[in-house]
Amino acid sequence: MTDAQSFYGRWARVYDWVANAPGVASWRDRGADSLALAPGDTVVEMGCGTGANVPVLRERVGPTGRIVGIDVTRAMLDRARERPARTGETVHYVQADAARPPVRAADAVLATFVAGIFEDPASAVDAWCDSVGPGGRVALLNFQRSPSALAAPLNLAFEGFVRLSAPGTRLSRQSHVSAFERRVRAARERLTERTVARRYETMAGGFVGLLSGTVA
Ligand SMILES: C[S@@+](CC[C@H](N)C(=O)[O-])C[C@H]1O[C@@H](n2cnc3c(N)ncnc32)[C@H](O)[C@@H]1O
C-alpha cells in the first residue's frame, strides 16, 4: 500500500468535507470550464477522490455524457459511490493506478490536486494525453506557492495544503514541499510539451493554478 492509499484510506470522510467546502467549488467550476466539454462527451477524472468534481462535470456533459472516476484508494471511491443516493449522479468508478489508466478514447481528462502525488508525473501526464488523443483536452489543477508579496505569510499555509493533497511520511517537511513542487512542475512541463491552445489561470490569490491544453 502506498503512502497516499493509507493516508486517504484513513481520512476519506474528513477529506470529503474539505473537498466540498464552498470556496473550493468555484475552482472546480473553472477546472471543468477549461475542458470545453459538450453534452454527450466522455470525461475521465484521474485521482477522483470522493467525487467532488462530479456535479460540475455532469452539468457540462449532461445526462448522455459519461463520467469515469479513477482512484487507487478504495475508501475514497466508497465515499464517492455514496453520492448518487444524495444527488442522482451516475458515474463509472474504477479502482486503478491513474498513472496507467485503463481507459481509452475519452474526450477530456481532469486531474485536480493529484499531480503532486505521482512518482513520475510526466509519464502520468503522457498516459492522460494518450488516453484522449489529438484534439482532446487535459486540465491540471494544483496548489502552489503564491508569487504575491502580500501572500508571503500565507505561504506557510501552503505547506499544510501540500500535506493534505500529497501525503508522505518519509521526507522532512522542507523536502516534502520541494518534492511536491518538483512534481507539479514536471506535470505542467509535460502538458505544455504535449498540447496546444493552452490556458493558464490562477485562483485564490495565486495559491491555485490551472493549466489546460488540447493534445496535439
Ligand atoms: C488530494 S486527493 C484529490 C481528490 C480529488 N481529485 C479532488 O479534487 O478532491 C488525491 C487523490 O488521489 C488519489 N491517488 C493517489 N495516488 C493515486 C494513483 N496512483 N492513482 C489513482 N489515484 C491516486 C488518492 O487516493 C486521492 O483520492
Side-chain angles (χ1 to χ4, degrees):
M1 185 180 279
T2 62
D3 284 346
Q5 277 175 298
S6 68
F7 177 88
Y8 289 110
R10 272 198 313 275
W11 293 104
R13 201 163 282 271
V14 175
Y15 182 85
D16 189 39
W17 183 80
V18 175
N20 288 287
V24 183
S26 66
W27 309 342
R28 298 191 183 286
D29 243 340
R30 284 165 73 176
D33 273 345
S34 75
L35 295 173
L37 292 165
D41 276 356
T42 294
V43 57
V44 180
E45 186 182 353
M46 304 296 178
C48 62
T50 59
N53 286 310
V54 168
V56 294
L57 295 175
R58 180 57 71 197
E59 256 173 48
R60 284 149 181 93
V61 300
T64 58
R66 195 158 174 258
I67 304 173
V68 181
I70 297 178
D71 203 285
V72 79
T73 309
R74 180 184 294 271
M76 296 294 265
L77 290 174
D78 286 346
R79 191 84 192 135
R81 288 188 180 107
E82 288 171 10
R83 295 178 67 91
R86 304 199 298 259
T87 60
E89 297 146 355
T90 309
V91 179
H92 302 274
Y93 288 111
V94 184
Q95 187 178 7
D97 182 359
R100 287 183 291 276
V103 185
R104 289 265 145 191
D107 297 294
V109 160
L110 178 64
T112 60
F113 310 117
V114 292
I117 298 177
F118 293 98
E119 285 300 323
D120 184 353
S123 69
V125 169
D126 269 335
W128 302 346
C129 291
D130 293 343
S131 73
V132 297
R137 274 192 84 76
V138 177
L140 309 176
L141 181 78
N142 289 100
F143 286 120
Q144 59 195 16
R145 264 184 241 260
S146 172
S148 152
L150 290 174
L154 286 176
N155 276 324
L156 278 176
F158 165 77
E159 293 185 12
F161 289 131
V162 169
R163 284 275 168 204
L164 186 62
S165 63
T169 51
R170 286 187 283 270
L171 297 173
S172 71
R173 194 171 56 113
Q174 208 38 54
S175 331
H176 189 82
V177 171
S178 313
F180 172 88
E181 290 183 317
R182 202 170 48 246
R183 289 171 180 174
V184 171
R185 195 164 51 243
R188 288 176 174 172
E189 282 172 4
R190 185 53 56 89
L191 188 63
T192 300
E193 285 162 17
R194 293 285 311 262
T195 56
V196 294
R198 277 178 303 281
R199 271 168 48 190
Y200 176 70
E201 55 186 298
T202 60
M203 294 161 249
F207 280 102
V208 175
L210 170 64
L211 178 67
S212 60
T214 301
V215 174

